[in-house]
Amino acid sequence: MTWVLLACSYLLGGIPTSFLVARVARGIDLRQHGSGNLGATNAFRVLGWKGATPIFLVDIAKGFAPAFFFPAWDGAAASGWAFAYGALAIAGHVFSPYVGFRGGKGVATGAGVFLALAPIAVAIGTLIWIGLVATTGYVSLASMTAAVAIPVVIAFTHGVAPVFWVGVGVAAFVVFAHRANIGRLRRGEEHRFGRRARASS
């Protein structure tokens, strides 16, 4: 049963929500617009908030469901597998098997995983994300900062427990996935909501 659920975690995480919504709503391939990324941020950029909000919520659910429900389905002794289920959901989102192993950067799906494992940390990370987006307009900066903040909060609320190390790993992955954004931030070329960057990204 465990191996079936591990596979299901990856396949569930890999559902390309933004690709499907863009196809249905606008008849476009989101990989050919904006940054070419299949995450919620590029969906906001191309589709606007009405199209991107359901994408964001579904991407959160893709991470929450495996981490929260699958361990119970696999028996109490398998509760430690929650981390593996969540990690594979994130991997599926970033490397979706349905669209040539391309996807988003794992921020929303990762938030869903930690919503199941450490909800207080996610609540604080969400407040940080909202505050930075509102004050700077940089979603990428807000996403990286919130991702790094989550394991810090976990250290205070849970101690250096296994979920802390999962948080560190996910934060490192999120920062790595945003390496191109970091370069654009340094050059002043990163997209800002409500404002234009100095050069096209």
Side-chain angles (χ1 to χ4, degrees), residues 146-196:
V148 171
I150 284 177
V152 174
V153 176
I154 290 173
F156 282 100
T157 57
H158 293 72
V160 186
V163 67
F164 165 78
W165 294 111
V166 175
V168 170
V170 171
F173 181 81
V174 168
V175 173
F176 175 76
H178 282 82
R179 60 195 181 279
N181 303 82
I182 294 172
R184 290 195 293 268
L185 284 165
R186 288 176 174 173
R187 298 189 299 270
E189 299 172 358
E190 181 70 329
H191 179 272
R192 302 174 75 180
F193 279 100
R195 291 162 244 188
R196 286 187 177 272

Side-chain angles (χ1 to χ4, degrees), residues 9-22 30 37-44 47 51-67 85-96 98-99 102-116 122 129 143:
S9 297
Y10 176 72
L11 295 174
L12 177 63
I15 295 173
T17 319
S18 59
F19 176 84
L20 296 172
V21 171
L30 195 61
N37 189 271
L38 289 178
T41 299
N42 194 41
F44 270 110
L47 304 176
T53 298
I55 293 170
F56 184 71
L57 295 175
V58 171
D59 284 352
I60 289 176
K62 292 192 308 186
F64 177 84
Y85 295 139
L88 279 170
I90 295 170
H93 176 77
V94 177
F95 305 107
S96 172
Y98 307 109
V99 283
R102 293 179 61 181
K105 295 178 178 176
V107 176
T109 304
V113 171
F114 285 102
L115 184 62
V122 171
W129 186 89
S143 298

